[in-house]
Every structure is written in C-alpha cells, then in structure tokens.
Amino acid sequence: MVFPPSTLRRPAPAASRPRVLAICGSLNQTTMMHAVGRELADDCDVLYTPYYADGVLKWLNGKGFLDFTIMGPGSNFLRQTSEYMADHQLPLDPGGSDGPYDLVLTCSDLIVQRNIRGRPIILIQEGMTDPEDTLYHLVRKFKLPRWLASTATTGLSLAYRRFCVASEGYRQHFHRKGVPLDRLVVTGIPNYDNCAALLDNDFPLRDYVLVATSDTRETFKRDDRRTFFDQIERIARGRPLVFKLHPNENAERSTAEIQARFGPVPVYHTGNTGHMIANCQALICQYSTVVYTGLALGKECHSYFDMAELRRLLPVQNGGTSARNMAAVCREVIEDAAAAPRYARAAG
C-alpha cells in the first residue's frame, strides 16, 4: 500500500517527549489506536502504521496471498484504514522503520514484529476472540505460529508489559488461557464503552430485526448460509429485516444471496453499525463483536456464541473513558521502562 506523501508527516522528536508507535489494522482497531493516541498527544509523539509483518509473511503479503487479512495490500481492511489515516492526517511511520520507540501499542500480538521485540509493548483488546477450536488446541500443543488459530490465541505471546481488556470477565478469560493476572488491566475498550450515546442518531429506519453478518467465507472458515438464513426467518417471525454486511465481506455476492431469499430488503455494506443496532428491535449476529452493543442497549440478541457467556464478558460501559484509561497505563509503562529497563522478549 502506497500512502500519499502528504500523510507521511513525522514530527520532529523532542528529547523530553516519549515516542510511541501505534500499530493499526482494521478500521475498528485503527479508531481505537487513534483514540488512545489523542489522549497521549499532549506529552508523547505518537506515530501510526498499518499492520505489517516480516519474514515469510511479509513475502506472502507482497504476493497478495494475505489479502483476506488486516495487512493485505488488496484488502478492504487496509483500504479503509489508509483512507481514515489520510482523512485525519495521522503522522505515519509505515512498518515502524523510524524506531526504536519508547512504547509500542498494538491490537494484535498474533505476530510480534522483529523491530518491536524487546521494546515495551501494550496490547489492546480489539473485541471478541474466535472460539477455541481444534486448530487452537493444535497451535498450543505443538507451539505452532499463533496466527494459524486467528484471534483465539490473542494475548498468548506474552511479549507485552500490559494487556488492556474490556471487562473483568475478559480478564478472567485471558487468565484462564495463561496470561498472568498482573499483566491484565481492565480499562474498557473504545468503540464499545459508551453504547448509550448511539441512541442519538439520524439513521432513518426503526423497529426492525438487524442481521450483522460475518466475513467467515472471506477468511476461509465454514459458513452454512442456508442454515443461517433459516435461523433468521425463525427469529424474525415476520418482522422487517435489515442486513449489515461485514466490511471485509464480498458485498455483491452476499447482497444477491440475501435478496434472493428475503426479497428487496435493505442491505448495507457501509454505515454506522452502532446506529443501526440502536434503532433495531432485535439483533442477529454470527461471530461479530457488535453483539456487545446490542447487549449493552438491552436489545433482544442472538449469536453463534453462548449468550450467557457474552453477558459475562460484556465490555464495561464507562461513558467513553477507555482511551483515557489506556493512556494512563501507557504513561505508567513508559515511566517504569525508563526507570528500570526490563523489556519482555517475544517467542516470535
């Protein structure tokens, strides 16, 4: 991905200001990173980069084999992220090449890039993690690369100083997987910490069943759409339907499938999903973190995940202060690292 020269604005470093690299990814991850970066801007120089890799993964990505991921040069993820970065004129350091940095923020430790290993890292929870399926257990048993099991292995690198998580439920969830409790900090997560604010919106539709689909096929997972459509029909019970596609989904294919089954129903590929949820009667999800928005707003919710477990994991609603909480953790780690460097080493 080539960024416009105007976006490559690296602020002149000041000796007294820590330098922070924020590794972004999907639009959701990028907006979270930007929220934390804004909170740090008064006393830190924060630079941003799209997600990146090195070694074999970098080679595969350059050949277009990873376009279904957040770093794929042909992916919707990177297109949306680059547009956001340009629109907000974020200062960029693609690939973190202008390091070393005093602190690195990342929303994914499935890869720990070589040029950040040994630096103070803070991991930020993006949202829901994938189920612990057979591949997850194989990765853990045989110490295979974490990225093979997708987000189910989030947090398992232990390459970070702190892991900022959405709720006490998630703190216990990641601890059960092997993350030490003293590395887990409940801060809440931006984009899911002030769902009540979504009720004030101008989305024109009301009182429908919203279906938020997932990009399971685009990421080579099994997706029985016929069975899913049957479930939608049973849950809706004749109520009007609205569909919101995942940003990484093949919009043309999915829209055609939906309207062939349900008629000329509204199908959105873009738009504010939170506002759509705020105006719905019921929310039907597959593997989407947006189910937490529905639960926080007291909506009737349906998901492939266990609903009781989702209520236990529900991100804290703190009025939108999660980014501020995370910035406080960042400053603590920066001060600690400056006083007594003891950088964590990653397994890879």
Side-chain angles (χ1 to χ4, degrees):
M1 185 71 185
V2 178
F3 289 85
S6 60
T7 67
L8 299 175
R9 303 185 304 107
R10 297 175 181 172
S16 60
R17 290 171 61 88
R19 301 181 71 239
V20 178
L21 178 68
I23 302 176
C24 302
S26 67
L27 185 59
N28 183 50
Q29 292 169 323
T30 302
T31 54
M32 285 185 175
M33 288 299 181
H34 189 199
V36 180
R38 283 195 296 262
E39 294 291 337
L40 291 171
D42 286 345
D43 52 4
C44 297
D45 292 326
V46 184
L47 280 78
Y48 299 83
T49 176
Y51 204 77
Y52 64 97
D54 36 41
V56 173
L57 289 179
K58 180 178 181 179
W59 182 85
L60 289 171
N61 196 42
K63 296 296 183 181
F65 292 117
L66 302 182
D67 278 353
F68 62 96
T69 73
I70 57 176
M71 62 183 173
S75 70
N76 287 328
F77 292 123
L78 187 55
R79 177 185 58 79
Q80 293 172 343
T81 289
S82 61
E83 289 173 356
Y84 180 91
M85 288 175 163
D87 289 345
H88 291 82
Q89 296 188 316
L90 299 186
L92 302 183
D93 179 17
S97 60
D98 198 27
Y101 285 88
D102 299 292
L103 181 70
V104 177
L105 304 179
T106 183
C107 277
S108 176
D109 68 333
L110 304 187
I111 300 169
V112 179
Q113 296 85 351
R114 291 172 186 162
N115 63 340
I116 68 169
R117 297 179 192 178
R119 307 308 302 173
I121 299 171
I122 291 179
L123 177 62
I124 292 175
Q125 183 185 349
E126 173 202 4
M128 181 180 290
T129 56
D130 287 339
E132 297 170 21
D133 57 12
T134 300
L135 188 53
Y136 166 82
H137 292 289
L138 289 173
V139 165
R140 299 214 63 179
K141 181 176 181 179
F142 295 106
K143 301 187 185 305
L144 300 174
R146 289 181 301 280
W147 48 265
L148 288 172
S150 191
T151 61
T153 56
T154 295
L156 299 187
S157 74
L158 300 183
Y160 47 84
R161 295 285 191 89
R162 295 289 185 273
F163 184 4
C164 296
V165 299
S167 64
E168 180 59 32
Y170 266 113
R171 185 170 184 255
Q172 296 301 324
H173 172 80
F174 290 114
H175 178 56
R176 177 183 58 79
K177 290 187 173 188
V179 180
L181 281 175
D182 62 358
R183 298 213 196 169
L184 292 159
V185 185
V186 179
T187 56
I189 54 175
N191 301 343
Y192 293 97
D193 60 356
N194 190 20
C195 294
L198 298 169
L199 295 169
D200 181 14
N201 68 75
D202 58 1
F203 187 66
L205 305 180
R206 296 284 191 280
D207 300 326
Y208 46 83
V209 175
L210 178 66
V211 182
T213 57
S214 294
D215 62 340
T216 46
R217 291 179 293 187
E218 285 74 16
T219 53
F220 306 106
K221 300 183 182 75
R222 183 178 179 274
D223 185 0
D224 185 346
R225 279 285 161 120
R226 179 176 296 181
T227 298
F228 181 50
F229 286 169
D230 290 343
Q231 292 171 340
I232 292 168
E233 202 164 57
R234 287 195 298 271
I235 293 168
R237 301 188 306 277
R239 291 178 286 181
L241 289 168
V242 172
F243 286 78
K244 173 60 173 68
L245 305 182
H246 189 281
N248 195 42
E249 212 167 334
N250 182 324
E252 183 177 356
R253 176 180 64 180
S254 294
T255 300
E257 293 170 344
I258 290 165
Q259 295 186 337
R261 173 67 181 266
F262 298 102
V265 296
V267 180
Y268 295 89
H269 188 221
T270 60
N272 191 311
T273 307
H275 291 169
M276 297 178 196
I277 295 171
N279 292 0
C280 76
Q281 286 185 355
L283 173 64
I284 302 173
C285 294
Q286 293 180 280
Y287 299 106
S288 178
T289 302
V290 300
V291 69
Y292 289 137
T293 302
L295 288 173
L297 293 176
K299 302 292 183 178
E300 172 193 336
C301 293
H302 305 267
S303 171
Y304 282 174
F305 290 102
D306 179 74
M307 294 306 301
E309 177 70 358
L310 292 180
R311 291 186 178 91
R312 185 182 71 83
L313 298 173
L314 183 65
V316 295
Q317 299 299 295
N318 55 28
T321 59
S322 296
R324 189 184 313 161
N325 297 339
M326 291 174 177
V329 175
C330 291
R331 292 186 177 97
E332 177 186 315
V333 169
I334 290 170
E335 291 174 5
D336 179 60
R342 48 180 172 78
Y343 304 136
R345 292 290 176 181

